[in-house]
Amino acid sequence: MALTQQDMDNEIARHREAYEKSVAEGAPRADHPPRDYPPYRSSLLRHPHQPLVVVATARDPEAVELGSPAFGDTDVTELDNDLTRRHRGEPIGERITVTGRVLDRHGRPVRGQLIELWQANAAGRYAHQRDQHPAPLDPNFTGAGRTLTDDDGGYRFTTIKPGAYPWRNHTNAWRPAHLHFSVFGTAFTQRLVTQMYFPNDPLFPYDPILQSVTDDAARQRLVATYDHSLSTPEWSLGYRWDIVLDGPAATWIEDGR
Amino acid sequence: MSTPRPTPSHTVGPFYGYALPFPGGGETAPPGDPDTITVHGHVLDGEGTAVPDALIEIWGPGPDGELPRKGGSMRRDPVTGGFLGRNGVDFTGFGRVPTDADGHWAVRTLRPGARGEHAPYLSVCVFARGLTHHLFTRLHLPEPADALAADPLLASLPPARAATLVARAEPHRTFRFDIRLQGADETVFLEFT
């Protein structure tokens, strides 16, 4: 039996109501999606049944996970944060800049760490053989970029706005336009892979991946802000999106900056 | 000052393959290093089916137990913008490989040294389509046995659960570590506070 969007909307609503009820009864608010989120069908067989085992890093300063891989100037080129200049010609689409800061959960900048970005093209197609959605590939756009955060935790990408695209979670399932981000912190515990959305997308309520973040305020943190002061005349539209890494880090050493 | 709330995690999705894997991602050990080991295994779902679109990251110390602080895992060619591969000398401690169509992954790295009270281990981070939030686990080498027995995390777990965190020795300094996302023999996954 084909699963309709209405079925999906009902499932999403049930999970949100259950979450709101648990918060009303005193459960803490959840910053992250549950790994067990049945509306996202691919999660059914891929989430652990056992609870995660807690490692208290405050009592475990030698934990490997309190360190993080380092990345440096050899790992990125100067053009890597501009996804529009990777081929001979210009990609098709609406040119955008996305900028923001990477912070830890105490609000401190995460400096000199790697951010990777990947995305579909303006027509909503990934440069991936398994994406057979009937939308055109763009010979001038691959859709992968990298950068290192600066001393203020800042980053900046130039790219084109990706399109929405269909997927097979249920009948007539469409993903809202999004950018995939991969971020490293100063500790491996802070590792984050996530997706950034664009403001006011009408597909938000229908998407079980975005709705897997059942907390309204947390979900809003995945949506960038349009910032007109970041738009460049005759060139590009600007969006701002700050990223806050969860997870404990090693004791922070004040370095005077 | 108010502290900011964390950015929620999302799945890596099925289409990361042209962006996150990099040439030499599984060749973490400098070529010819006598401390080189191979760690490998399958990623399996709750029905025991191979997961062909997972991404595995390995992070660990060198044989001296020290955590590397060197970059260069994904060294780039400024002429072409492509990848040069690692420089052949430095050990960055970081490997990243996608699973293949059989759900198999393999990384050649240096044998990790012990840190603190821990038995030697590599940190393993698993990403996949269907996984809304990555999963951390630990790959322990099967020896020395006394170090395993004294490890605080392993000692805190029932033996059958602890066993999911210990790789099995195979010939030629190779260690097998399967990752079962769900069900019987489910791998122990960790949360850091």
Side-chain angles (χ1 to χ4, degrees):
Chain A
M1 189 179 67
L3 189 73
T4 66
Q5 183 68 53
Q6 185 61 54
D7 297 330
M8 185 53 49
D9 294 348
N10 293 341
E11 281 191 39
I12 288 170
R14 275 202 305 278
H15 282 273
R16 184 175 307 163
E17 284 162 19
Y19 169 73
E20 292 297 343
K21 183 164 179 284
S22 73
V23 169
E25 290 169 357
R29 293 206 161 270
D31 292 312
H32 296 286
R35 291 179 177 83
D36 177 13
Y37 188 72
Y40 176 28
R41 289 297 190 262
S42 297
S43 76
L44 289 174
L45 290 170
R46 294 186 172 191
H47 70 272
H49 286 162
Q50 301 277 345
L52 301 188
V53 173
V54 174
V55 174
T57 56
R59 295 198 299 273
D60 190 6
E62 299 294 335
V64 169
E65 296 87 351
L66 287 177
S68 188
F71 299 93
D73 291 337
T74 63
D75 295 301
V76 293
T77 73
E78 286 178 10
L79 287 178
D80 278 359
N81 69 346
D82 188 342
L83 286 74
T84 69
R85 295 174 66 191
R86 312 301 290 281
H87 297 274
R88 292 174 68 114
E90 289 267 342
I92 289 172
E94 179 183 319
R95 189 182 296 105
I96 60 172
T97 54
V98 179
T99 187
R101 296 172 74 207
V102 180
L103 307 170
D104 70 12
R105 63 187 187 184
H106 302 289
R108 305 175 298 214
V110 173
R111 303 177 175 123
Q113 270 300 5
L114 182 70
I115 304 184
E116 297 161 283
L117 179 157
W118 73 104
Q119 62 171 105
N121 69 23
R125 176 101 180 250
Y126 286 91
H128 190 293
Q129 182 172 280
R130 286 188 54 223
D131 184 3
Q132 291 296 318
H133 157 220
L137 287 167
D138 183 342
N140 291 315
F141 191 73
T142 303
R146 277 172 214 86
T147 194
L148 297 177
T149 55
D150 65 21
D151 274 356
D152 199 31
Y155 73 89
R156 181 185 186 86
F157 285 103
T158 301
T159 185
I160 52 100
K161 190 174 178 183
Y165 60 83
W167 60 310
R168 293 178 179 171
N169 190 68
H170 57 279
T171 302
N172 210 16
W174 289 80
R175 297 287 337 272
H178 58 273
L179 304 178
H180 293 266
F181 276 76
S182 160
V183 188
F184 288 83
T186 55
F188 204 42
T189 59
Q190 297 173 302
R191 191 79 179 84
L192 178 69
V193 166
T194 189
Q195 300 175 25
M196 184 209 94
Y197 297 86
F198 295 86
N200 303 314
D201 192 317
L203 292 170
F204 286 164
Y206 306 110
D207 178 34
I209 290 185
L210 175 58
Q211 299 299 328
S212 72
V213 182
T214 48
D215 186 83
D216 289 343
R219 202 164 56 250
Q220 197 56 40
R221 294 198 290 276
L222 292 175
V223 182
T225 304
Y226 173 70
D227 185 338
H228 199 69
S229 71
L230 295 173
S231 293
T232 307
E234 316 295 326
W235 182 250
S236 69
L237 293 175
Y239 292 87
R240 183 177 298 282
W241 190 54
D242 290 340
I243 300 168
V244 179
L245 302 182
D246 207 350
T251 307
W252 194 58
I253 297 162
E254 175 62 58
D255 61 2
R257 282 186 293 188
Chain B
M1 178 180 111
S2 69
T3 56
R5 301 298 301 178
T7 303
S9 170
H10 253 16
T11 180
V12 75
F15 297 138
Y16 62 80
Y18 63 90
L20 297 184
F22 54 92
E27 302 295 333
T28 310
D33 192 302
D35 283 319
T36 300
I37 60 171
T38 300
V39 292
H40 76 120
H42 286 79
V43 180
L44 304 166
D45 73 11
E47 291 180 339
T49 303
V51 175
D53 49 11
L55 184 74
I56 302 294
E57 290 185 348
I58 300 280
W59 162 241
D64 58 2
E66 292 295 314
L67 293 173
R69 294 174 179 272
K70 287 182 170 155
S73 296
M74 45 183 83
R75 208 166 53 109
R76 306 295 298 289
D77 182 344
V79 178
T80 65
F83 287 91
L84 282 172
R86 299 169 194 262
N87 72 5
V89 177
D90 291 333
F91 175 64
T92 69
F94 178 68
R96 175 194 278 170
V97 287
T99 53
D100 64 18
D102 289 329
H104 183 256
W105 60 275
V107 171
R108 267 165 288 282
T109 188
L110 298 185
R111 179 186 291 274
R115 292 173 57 79
E117 298 177 304
H118 295 287
Y121 72 91
L122 300 168
S123 178
V124 179
C125 192
V126 185
F127 304 87
R129 172 177 65 85
L131 204 49
T132 59
H133 196 172
H134 56 260
L135 289 167
F136 281 111
T137 186
R138 287 178 175 175
L139 184 165
H140 294 81
L141 299 182
E143 55 200 20
D146 55 345
L148 291 174
D151 183 87
L153 172 67
L154 296 177
S156 73
L157 297 168
R161 294 276 287 152
T164 69
L165 300 182
V166 182
R168 195 175 74 229
E170 295 178 331
H172 311 300
R173 304 156 70 85
T174 295
F175 299 91
R176 170 81 179 256
F177 187 73
D178 291 334
I179 298 167
R180 293 180 175 83
L181 297 177
Q182 187 185 87
D185 300 327
E186 181 177 301
T187 299
V188 168
F189 297 106
L190 305 174
E191 175 177 24
F192 298 96
T193 63

